[in-house]
Amino acid sequence: MDDDVKEVLAALRREAFFWRAKQATKDQLLRPLEDATSGTEREAVERAFAASGFRDKVKAFAFLRLRSMRPGTQDSPSVDWARRQWSELLLQRLQKLSQEQRQPFLRRRPKPLTSEDNPGKPREEEVSTRHIVDLNSLYNLITRDLRTRLARDSSNRPGAMPALGSEMSGIHLRSLEELRLRYGELAPGYGHLGVWRPSNSWAEVPELPEARDARAEAAKLEMKRRRLGQKLLVNAYPAELQILARFGVSPSLRREVWGACLGAKHGAALQEAARGICEWEWLTDDVLRLDVAEHCANDVSYFPFDELVEALVLALSRDPQVSKLCESGSPQIPIVVGEAVAQRGPALSEAVVKDTAGEGEQFLPPSGVVPFKGFSNYACPFAFLSDRLETAYPLFRGFYCRHLSRLHSISGQAETLVTLCGLFEQLTAQAAPRAVQHLLALDTSPLRYAFHWIVTGFVGCLPAEQILHLWDRVLGFDSVELVPVLAAAVFALRARLVLAARRQEEVQLLFADVSCVKAIPLLQAFLFGSDLGVDPWDLFREVNGQIPDGRSTVLKEHHVGSVGFWSRSFSASDVVAMRRTPTRRVIDSRQPPEELLSPKSTMEVLTPKATLDPANRRSRLHYTCRIEDGFSPTNFLPSVTTPGTKSRALDDWRVGEGSRIMNYLQPKKYRPMSLYGEAFQGKWNTDWHDVSHISALRQKYPWARESIELKALPHPEGPNAQEIRRNRNFGPSHGADKCVRGMIRCGSLCMIP
Amino acid sequence: MSDQLRKHVGSQRDHPPWKDIKFRCAFHNTIYDVLKSRGFRETENEMDFDLFWCDKEWIHEVFDHIHLQAHQRVNHFRNHYELTRKDLLVKNIRRAQRQALKEHRCSPCRVGPIPAQGFAACSPTTFVLPLEYSMFVEEFKKQQANGAIWIMKPVGKSQGRGIFLFDKLSQVSSWRQDPKWMRIQKEGEKPKLRNGDEEEEEKKEAEPYVVQRYLSDPLLIGGKKFDLRLYVLVTSYSPLTVYLYRSGFARFSHARFSMDTADLSDAMIHLTNVAVQKHNDHYDEKRGGKWDLHSLKMHLMMTEDPKKVHQLFEDMQNVILFSLLSVQKVMIQDKHCFELYGYDIMISKDFKPWLIEVNASPSLSANTVTDYEMKFALLDDVLTVLDFEKYLQGTEDQIGGFDVLYRNGVRVGPPATAAYRSRLGCCNNREEQLRRLAQHLAGEERNRTPPPPSAVPGRRRR
């Protein structure tokens, strides 16, 4: 600890403002004040220091400095191996690309871009290039190669595939319970921005009684937060601002709060990075441009900013500070190449993968980060955040170095890609074990679908607003762990659908579009749902206003015990199979049997002849008794004195049903079928009526006849032979077209019985 | 979708109300899908409809010669061109401005509901060219010192056809003195028009132009120019009833904006119409250059002072109201008519909205999936507001994505203490709102009709 303090002090001494602060404090001390006599000397110095106005600045500096001195962890050999493997792969690909393009790593731009060039026109020349590497190879490296190597290394447990993360680098992965403690401030009890969207209600001055509903609360909260943020920004102490960011930052303050948290300074960084952007061209430049064109320019939220994003990523790739500033170390082992060599022809073997650049050597590209496909996604939200390059770039660089670089760096440090993936796998296994097992049975894994969410930090998957809310929390809690947690939450949200999937493509389809997800409510539901004794997804749906009617009140009454909604999931083919049962019973009706059969129920019927219009003829029958309540086989005497409640014999049909073994072997097979109308079989004499009025009506409403006869067949496959034979007179007698000589009309076909 | 209303309110009625509604539709795009999806029936009969979504020509040719039943609705007003033709709009706004000034002068103590400067700020300086040429020249010479640029638009055309920019008077005077040359250039593919002189004469009369001061410092986002398309539904002009849709979109020009003289002829920079932009080589089918209004508002809130942004959206709402109030007197009220307007609004650097033009039949065909969803939702809400199924009570402040601005001639707005005064560009919570509305209405309906005796369990038990 003392060493830390010493180091911070040494760093402070190198800053000019420290000496100015010292001078100002001295001046304050020397100035004669009325109350200077009270207290010890130390207190007097403290007071003078506070009065000098430099305290906040020194505090902020010390905080950021201390933050950057967090101890790192040691790499394990296998992760080291993967790290080197990845860099080797990148170098190999780069060389291949360079040969293909006939372009050296670094070259003077053939026609330098100048400001006189017409900026209105898009650049005319078409460059054909391709991505250096895509996420698939990264995924394969992490899961397949790294795992097999680990399995080989740890020979003591043959056959068992090691989990990512903990077993590799000895880093402890937080379990769900630990995460709950760590992210306690995310709990739904606190006021969070980004849960209700505040723009939905008039933000009224709080005293007014009308503004009672939750949305008005949210609007008030937003105003309150903005005022608080403005107050905190006066001091700009990062630690305080980070705590503010944990509860969400008001959009109008977001730029400044992020800037203060990241300690991003304007100006110098960008100038250094942008130097030579017009004259010199790296091999990766065109690749980055292609990436921007594919990702940013195609995104619905970010497409107006494609030029800005291009400038941001180009500047970042040329910023030599980046690999030093990255907190988890450089995302990959940089590729080093001699400066002279870089400009020579396309074939080069001199480039090597090593950690430091010697004299006359340079990283390739200068930032040391070779872009993968989708790299430009990182810059998009920053362009959205501020329209100007000079304010967006420091934010981008600061955020990238602190958080985003972790999302794709393979190293043994905590919170890097390997451990994040490990955390995701652990969480999914804990939250949705059946779905994970199901995917494993399908020869795939949850990580395959969540990998690009984690690596891109959800950019391009969620809408911009949600990304910014999520990154607020990432900044506030100072950890990217929330990204895999959200990924696990999304997976768990769709776990039931995953169970119904039969093939890998179906799973892919499930996770292809997650743009409807609301990041913060989902995180809350995932982390704290089961604590509250509520089904977490109902909490999520309720928070989002998606809960179906009536359920929400039920939910509030149900705050005791976790209520799991259990249902077997049917696939489409199941449903088709269910419809193909050969025999039908009365209870297989369109209306649910409870409603049909219980004494409380009513049933709609068409009364035959009162009026001709079917709308008026529909009347409602209420069931009354057939057998009295007191009836039982052992008690023959009818209870005369107490009529009791009356029920029907079929009320307890479920008992009989339940005793059938078939119902335990396979799901119940109900199909929709209406009781009145075309499909009713007419089993008894009383079911047969004079139908002349019906045929008259059908003449009158030809459209209704069409819908009855052709569209509303209960069975899409049509009736079977037995049914056709049995019903061959039904159609004609109910007013359908006469079929000649015993022909049966079946749908649009005529058949001979 | 109006599922919620249908589920909650419709299911309580004996006969599903949407079954009996018959429509005719002159278009085969989103509006047709919406009408079908609501369960309305299409009819071939010329006159037997509840709703006819017609084109403007039908209104001009047929509407005067027929008699409609009380329940029948048509989607245009008879003289909608008072608002939607560029020259008439200018005329009406100017007259309303004069009127407001006069009223203001007559009664200085009374603060009028619409201050005159509101009208002035509505629309950029505009002249109708064949008529007001001399006035225009005067104004042009006054403005020439500060390098003003003007834009010429044909009155009757849409989708960016025939529009050009100029900064020298010679460019227009040559056009005016020699209309033949202009016409040959514009309609060079039809040489037969050049034969008959009378035909040409007619053409000349029929081609009035509007000249407007070009907005040379528009607000740029990502260095690109954009304009906004907002949707406004007017169900009646007297008393005035106006609904404003929350969503809308910003249309971006493809190229970086510049005011260089050399670029004046480049349509890709200066025109944001989709019809123009889609001829660009780099035009992307998938996103269509349309940015959601909510995204725009969010971006502005983050980059600018939130108060200014709220003020901007309120001003936009006011501009819309000013334009409608200025034509209110002229418009022929007809209870069969309603109209969905597409407002084109631009924003200048100083956060001031400018009304560019109003479309009576905004494009309803969509070019992307999100665009389709947005338009589908919009039209579905239009039909909900029109309330063929008789669900509503007529006192709702928000129906789907539509917020009431004016009802029965009275301004409906937020309370005086609200932090912001317009819901334009807020997140469109229509589905949830419809759900709540439906539940509320179902409750009301249930209260009106007592349940059948058997549904009360206590009574049955007796």
Side-chain angles (χ1 to χ4, degrees), chain A residues 63-80:
Chain A
F63 176 79
L64 288 174
R65 185 75 201 174
L66 262 178
R67 212 188 151 282
S68 65
M69 292 188 321
R70 278 195 213 155
T73 38
Q74 287 302 309
D75 283 8
S76 76
S78 49
V79 177
D80 249 357

Side-chain angles (χ1 to χ4, degrees), chain A residues 118-122 126 196-205 208 213 215 223 226 251-252 254-255 297-298 300-307 383-387 464-465 468 545 547 549-550 599-600 602 615 618 622 645-646 703, chain B residues 4 7-8 14-15 19 41 220-222 224 246 252 254-256 263 266 269 282 284 286-287 289-291 294-295 298-299 301-304 306 370 414-415 417-423 426-427 429 432 435-436 439 452 454 460-461:
Chain A
N118 190 350
K121 302 249 169 38
E126 289 288 327
W196 287 108
R197 286 199 246 172
S199 49
N200 270 317
S201 163
W202 308 115
E204 299 202 34
V205 180
L208 274 185
D213 67 334
R215 278 151 198 277
M223 274 163 60
R226 197 186 317 147
S252 52
R254 190 168 274 140
R255 208 171 44 193
N298 272 338
V300 160
S301 318
Y302 309 114
F303 72 84
F305 305 114
D306 51 351
E307 289 171 16
F384 195 91
L385 196 60
S386 98
D387 210 354
E465 201 178 2
L468 292 173
I547 200 156
D549 35 301
K600 289 168 204 140
T602 59
R618 192 166 289 181
H622 307 287
T645 49
K646 297 158 181 174
W703 52 272
Chain B
Q4 300 288 346
K7 196 170 87 192
H8 286 90
D14 285 343
H15 193 63
K19 276 260 166 109
R41 277 190 298 120
L220 303 181
I221 283 182
K224 287 167 197 136
R246 285 184 177 198
F252 278 79
H254 188 271
R256 188 167 265 279
D263 293 331
D266 191 343
I269 297 179
H282 301 271
D284 192 343
K286 229 168 77 192
R287 62 185 152 84
K290 289 179 182 174
W291 211 33
H294 181 55
S295 294
M298 223 165 52
H299 175 71
M301 291 286 273
M302 276 192 284
T303 48
E304 306 286 343
T370 44
T417 50
Y420 54 98
R421 311 193 61 79
S422 169
R423 281 187 167 134
C426 289
C427 114
N429 60 340
E432 197 200 330
R435 200 191 74 233
R436 279 207 215 151
Q439 282 170 350
S454 65
R460 221 190 86 259
R461 196 164 266 269

Side-chain angles (χ1 to χ4, degrees), chain A residues 267-289:
Chain A
L270 179 63
Q271 276 175 12
E272 195 175 349
R275 203 191 308 142
I277 213 166
C278 290
E279 288 99 48
W280 294 91
E281 191 177 8
W282 287 89
L283 180 61
T284 49
D285 286 359
D286 280 332
V287 180
L288 280 173
R289 284 197 190 104

Side-chain angles (χ1 to χ4, degrees), chain A residues 392-409:
Chain A
Y393 184 71
L395 284 183
F396 175 44
R397 191 178 80 162
F399 203 88
Y400 175 81
C401 290
R402 191 182 279 191
H403 296 299
L404 295 179
S405 63
R406 292 169 183 276
L407 294 177
H408 62 266
S409 61

Side-chain angles (χ1 to χ4, degrees), chain A residues 514-553:
Chain A
V514 294
S515 58
C516 56
V517 161
K518 307 274 175 292
I520 303 307
L522 184 61
L523 270 178
Q524 290 182 337
F526 182 72
L527 285 175
F528 303 101
S530 53
D531 267 4
L532 301 176
V534 190
D535 184 8
W537 307 124
D538 282 339
L539 181 72
F540 174 64
R541 273 177 230 121
E542 190 181 26
V543 164
N544 272 299
Q546 290 174 359
I547 200 156
D549 35 301
R551 286 286 293 284
S552 129
T553 48

Side-chain angles (χ1 to χ4, degrees), chain A residues 7 39 57 105 176 530 534 546 606 615 645 692 721-722:
Chain A
E7 207 176 320
K57 208 165 176 188
F105 285 159
L176 199 52
S530 53
V534 190
Q546 290 174 359
L606 289 176
T645 49
S692 51
Q722 188 193 358

